Amino acid sequence: MTTIPMQLPIGYTLRPDVAAVADYLRLREIAGLTPRSVAAAEAGLPRTVFGVTIEHDGRAVAMGRIVGDGALCLQIADIAVDPAHQSRGLGKAVMAALMAHVADRTSAEVYVNLIADGDAHRLYAQFGFEPVAPLSQGMACWVHTR
């Protein structure tokens, strides 16, 4: 597993905490991720294994979290950066913090996975993530969609 130390640009602060529900929903929307409901966010966010939020002037502008069982299988989820703050290394800083948490607090055999949207695979490759095809194929299913 690759961990990359990161220094944030001046004016940005990384908090080791899950984004508040309103920030989570806003960042997902403006970053182009699938919208989620308040009810789903309120139910799911407290079950996060570890999360980080980057703030600028007291406002959340980037986030990411780890979900899973905490030891054997983890998934990187909800990586989102406000478009007004992109191209400043914030996504990389979020990933660096998440992967440092994995390296520091899990066993050597933990399986970490993620779904890379669009060109995000380039960011994730910097942290050791590789496509799993043809041995495996990612699959998804939405249940109770709005």
Side-chain angles (χ1 to χ4, degrees):
M1 173 177 8
T2 303
T3 58
I4 299 171
M6 288 297 307
Q7 184 170 4
L8 290 171
I10 294 172
Y12 292 89
T13 304
L14 187 141
R15 286 188 303 109
D17 196 10
V18 180
V21 170
D23 291 328
Y24 172 83
L25 297 173
R26 177 182 54 80
L27 284 171
R28 283 188 64 86
E29 181 180 338
I30 63 176
L33 301 178
T34 305
R36 302 307 300 262
S37 69
V38 171
E42 288 175 343
L45 291 178
R47 294 180 173 97
T48 298
V49 171
F50 179 73
V52 296
T53 303
I54 296 178
E55 295 179 343
H56 184 264
D57 291 334
R59 182 171 169 90
V61 296
M63 68 175 182
R65 64 190 192 113
I66 300 170
V67 298
D69 61 23
L72 297 171
C73 186
L74 300 171
Q75 183 173 41
I76 305 294
D78 301 322
I79 305 294
V81 178
D82 180 330
H85 296 269
Q86 290 178 357
S87 299
R88 293 183 173 112
L90 302 184
K92 187 182 266 190
V94 166
M95 279 298 296
L98 296 177
M99 296 307 291
H101 177 84
V102 172
D104 292 344
R105 294 189 177 82
T106 60
S107 68
E109 61 196 62
V110 66
Y111 179 75
V112 183
N113 64 77
L114 57 78
I115 301 294
D117 293 337
D119 288 334
H121 65 91
R122 292 187 179 112
L123 167 64
Y124 304 133
Q126 295 174 50
F127 293 89
F129 288 87
E130 301 174 342
V132 295
L135 299 176
S136 300
Q137 183 173 346
M139 300 176 75
C141 172
W142 284 95
V143 178
H144 303 294
T145 57
R146 302 187 260 169

